[in-house]
Amino acid sequence: MNDPVTDQSKSKGTVTEPAEGGPRVSTRLIKNVPVQLEAFVGNVRMTVAELTALGADSVVTLDTPLNQSVELRLNQLPVARGELVAVGDKFGVRISEIVQWPE
């Protein structure tokens, strides 16, 4: 009998049957799914009055120092950390740590 996890000749890369459990989704199936990745720099608490008083030249001071790492979040869950860098006239994040995925 063929092991459905290791027998790739019949699999189209969608769902395989692992020997020790139910169906498992192949990573080939989800590799092209678009996701939104957010860079979290810091936060601030303010009142509604302070928020409505903000104007075009206002500065909002965050609780994070300049040398603090930036956290990259996927669906509000941390996935990586890094530092802000300039990329032309935009900002980027140089990855310094990948958060371990839960099992």
Side-chain angles (χ1 to χ4, degrees):
M1 181 164 114
N2 293 336
D3 181 356
V5 173
T6 57
D7 184 9
Q8 298 298 318
S9 62
K10 297 178 185 174
S11 173
K12 297 290 185 195
T14 55
V15 177
T16 58
E17 282 290 335
E20 68 278 346
R24 184 178 70 189
V25 176
S26 169
T27 56
R28 288 188 284 173
L29 178 66
I30 62 171
K31 280 186 177 182
N32 293 319
V33 174
V35 296
Q36 177 94 17
L37 189 63
E38 299 173 313
F40 182 78
V41 178
N43 61 48
V44 63
R45 287 184 145 303
M46 61 177 50
T47 65
V48 173
E50 292 169 325
L51 180 64
T52 57
L54 293 175
D57 291 326
S58 297
V59 174
V60 177
T61 304
L62 301 176
D63 65 349
T64 307
L66 285 176
N67 61 352
Q68 181 70 29
S69 65
V70 175
E71 187 172 76
L72 294 178
R73 294 181 180 179
L74 178 64
N75 292 337
Q76 300 177 349
L77 295 173
V79 293
R81 290 182 188 83
E83 60 186 47
L84 281 178
V85 294
V87 182
D89 61 345
K90 299 184 190 251
F91 285 109
V93 177
R94 178 178 290 126
I95 305 293
S96 59
E97 175 187 359
I98 303 291
V99 176
Q100 188 169 8
W101 288 78
E103 302 240 351

